Amino acid sequence: QVQLVESGGGLVQAGGSLRLSCAASGLTSSSYAMGWFRQGPGKEREFVAGISWNGITDLADSVKVRFTISRDNAKNTVYLQMNNLKPEDTAVYYCAAARSVLAISTGGIDYWGQGTQVTVSS
């Protein structure tokens, strides 16, 4: 059974930083790309970042300068470092797994985490 468990969300002031983690179990790191989506209040879920098993990344234009995605295959964990956070980054952030970074970025997700709330105050 595949499980993706997010952690690291919380409340932060604008301009601050957070690092989200997603621990995966039940899947082999080398077989899956991992990524992050988010869903803000009243908005649709949107792609944030993806990373292949060997470190190729893709990030949404809205976060490209401020966010970094990385992974530790030995720990089956993917990270999202978020810097210079803005109120519009407020959302539930979801971890995702798919067969490729392209699948991640186009929403072809095989597995979802339960989400972690990030709230950025102005």
Side-chain angles (χ1 to χ4, degrees):
Q1 181 180 359
V2 175
Q3 282 191 314
L4 305 178
V5 180
E6 302 99 332
S7 61
L11 174 64
V12 63
Q13 288 188 328
S17 298
L18 282 175
R19 189 176 82 152
L20 305 183
S21 300
C22 171
S25 60
L27 56 78
T28 303
S29 294
S30 60
S31 299
Y32 283 89
M34 303 289 293
W36 293 92
F37 284 71
R38 67 185 181 185
Q39 187 166 15
K43 299 181 181 180
E44 294 187 352
R45 192 173 299 190
E46 64 176 356
F47 166 75
V48 175
I51 185 167
S52 70
W53 70 273
N54 58 349
I56 298 171
T57 63
D58 186 20
L59 288 96
D61 289 342
S62 59
V63 305
K64 192 164 291 185
V65 177
R66 301 180 294 121
F67 292 9
T68 303
I69 186 170
S70 61
R71 67 188 291 167
D72 184 335
N73 288 336
K75 296 181 178 180
N76 261 8
T77 299
V78 62
Y79 305 97
L80 185 68
Q81 178 66 44
M82 306 185 293
N83 298 326
N84 191 22
L85 283 160
K86 304 176 181 180
E88 51 263 44
D89 294 317
T90 294
V92 178
Y93 283 71
Y94 296 92
C95 182
R99 287 293 184 173
S100 69
V101 174
L102 178 61
I104 292 279
S105 63
T106 56
I109 305 302
D110 293 318
Y111 303 102
W112 291 101
Q114 82 287 353
T116 186
Q117 176 70 45
V118 172
T119 302
V120 185
S121 63
S122 57

